[in-house]
């Protein structure tokens, strides 16, 4: 290799910064290498075993190549060469892959065994998530675009889709599982610590596939119970004239044809349930912060934020009407 020392250093940096970025991606709320669930822990363990194993094998192969090309060029003893091909080319791969398979298989049992408590039905829609909590005592609670889980418990998710294939993936908690029209898949999550995580759709499902995410909130059991009973309750009534005006406009404009707000006349099921919209962490399926300004932008121009979305944009409404609707929705704690 030619080049001055400075050129080589620059080349080194060019190689180093992607590695730095890759390492920086190993932690955080959407990383399979920062596990917060029992399945993700095993996936991460398997990843590190494979990384170290392939690193050792790569070093052996490159070492042999350097030896043959640089250290001892020229003809080698045919008997040794044959043995190297048999052991290095057949024996070692068979041993390594068999060991990896056995190791991988022993990580799998029990991962899919469900607990007998909470079940959550999740349906992939274009491009958001319909969520329904089925509790052991028979309650059925509808929500959207956010999954809350009690830490340290096994929760079974049933995954479905009415039209196209999606894939539900919460990297910190578990591997991904497809949501396929006409069948129901299962995924068992067992979060090992509390925290906020991010889930995504991991299967191309249309124009806004990349804009189909959701929040995952893992809390303690008492916090979960408290949240669930709040989520089960109907929306609190509008408490001021401005909020009442917003509620009336919400009906008049037709929002209730697609969205439900329990406790009001709005009972649509095409779009997400909005009964407790203000208590969620994000808007528009994980892509906007849940703030009034973002909510206003979303209502006024949903199609520019999420191309192909089924929700019409309401930018033609007078600004005061938009403000009233936003204020009303932002009050739905
Ligand atoms: Cu849903 Cu990609």
């Amino acid at each position: 290799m030619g080049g001055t020392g400075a050129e080589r250093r620059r080349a080194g940096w060019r190689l180093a910064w992607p590695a730095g970025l890759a390492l920086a991606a190993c932690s955080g709320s959407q990383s399979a290498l920062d596990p917060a669930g029992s399945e993700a822990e095993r996936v991460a363990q398997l990843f590190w075993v494979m990384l170290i194993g392939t690193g050792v094998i790569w070093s052996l192969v490159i070492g042999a190549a350097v030896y043959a090309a640089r250290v001892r060029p020229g003809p080698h003893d045919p008997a040794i060469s044959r043995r190297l091909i048999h052991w290095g080319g057949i024996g070692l791969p068979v041993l390594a892959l068999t060991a990896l398979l056995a190791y991988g298989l022993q990580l799998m049992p029990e991962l899919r065994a469900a607990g007998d408590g909470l079940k959550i039905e999740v349906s992939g829609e274009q491009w958001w998530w319909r969520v329904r909590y089925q509790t052991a005592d028979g309650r059925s609670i509808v929500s959207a675009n956010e999954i809350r889980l009690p830490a340290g418990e096994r929760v079974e998710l049933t995954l479905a889709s009415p039209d196209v294939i999606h894939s539900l993936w919460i990297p910190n908690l578990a591997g991904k599982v497809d949501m396929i029209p006409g069948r129901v898949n299962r995924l068992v999550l067992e979060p090992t610590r509390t925290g906020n995580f991010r889930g995504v759709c991991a299967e191309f499902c249309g124009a806004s596939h990349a804009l189909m995410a959701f929040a995952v909130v893992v809390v303690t059991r008492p916090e979960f119970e408290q949240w669930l009973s709040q989520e089960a309750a109907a929306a609190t009534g509008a408490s001021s004239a401005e909020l009442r005006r917003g509620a009336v406009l919400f009906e008049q404009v037709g929002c209730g044809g697609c969205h439900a707000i329990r406790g009001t006349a709005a009972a649509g099921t095409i779009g997400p349930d909005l009964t407790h919209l203000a208590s969620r962490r994000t808007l528009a399926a994980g892509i906007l912060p849940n703030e009034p300004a973002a909510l206003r932008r979303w209502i006024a121009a949903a199609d520019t934020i999420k191309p192909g979305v089924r929700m019409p944009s309401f930018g033609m409404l007078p600004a005061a009407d938009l403000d009233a609707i936003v204020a009303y929705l932002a009050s739905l704690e």
Side-chain angles (χ1 to χ4, degrees), residues 146-238:
E146 185 165 299
I147 295 179
R148 291 234 173 194
L149 299 165
E153 292 180 35
R154 298 181 78 80
V155 175
E156 182 181 337
L157 269 63
T158 57
L159 308 175
S161 167
D163 38 35
V164 299
I165 301 178
H166 306 269
S167 181
L168 180 135
W169 190 25
I170 310 165
N172 296 73
L173 298 190
K176 62 189 83 160
V177 175
D178 279 0
M179 314 171 97
I180 301 170
R183 63 171 288 157
V184 174
N185 281 342
R186 293 170 60 246
L187 170 67
V188 175
L189 299 176
E190 187 181 13
T192 48
R193 59 179 160 92
T194 59
N196 295 314
F197 307 102
R198 189 167 185 269
V200 290
C201 180
E203 179 79 39
F204 180 74
C205 55
S208 283
H209 152 71
L211 302 173
M212 184 173 174
F214 58 102
V216 180
V217 184
V218 180
V219 293
T220 61
R221 177 42 96 163
E223 286 168 336
F224 179 77
E225 279 303 329
Q226 193 191 354
W227 172 82
L228 197 64
S229 53
Q230 195 214 318
E231 194 72 10
T236 46

Side-chain angles (χ1 to χ4, degrees), residues 26 31 45 75 77 89 101 137 146 157-158 172 228 256 265 309 316:
C26 291
S31 170
Q45 203 179 322
D77 180 351
L101 180 66
D137 56 11
E146 185 165 299
L157 269 63
T158 57
N172 296 73
L228 197 64
V309 70
M316 71 299 194

Side-chain angles (χ1 to χ4, degrees), residues 237-291:
S239 59
S240 72
E242 169 78 346
L243 298 185
R244 274 192 293 279
R245 202 171 87 79
V248 169
L249 281 165
F250 185 88
E251 276 304 308
Q252 281 176 355
V253 172
C255 308
C258 292
H259 296 284
I261 297 179
R262 281 174 276 126
T264 75
T269 56
I270 295 170
D273 183 293
L274 302 179
T275 309
H276 297 290
L277 177 71
S279 70
R280 293 181 199 148
R281 294 178 58 81
T282 66
L283 295 173
I287 60 170
L288 295 174
N290 193 354
E291 299 162 358

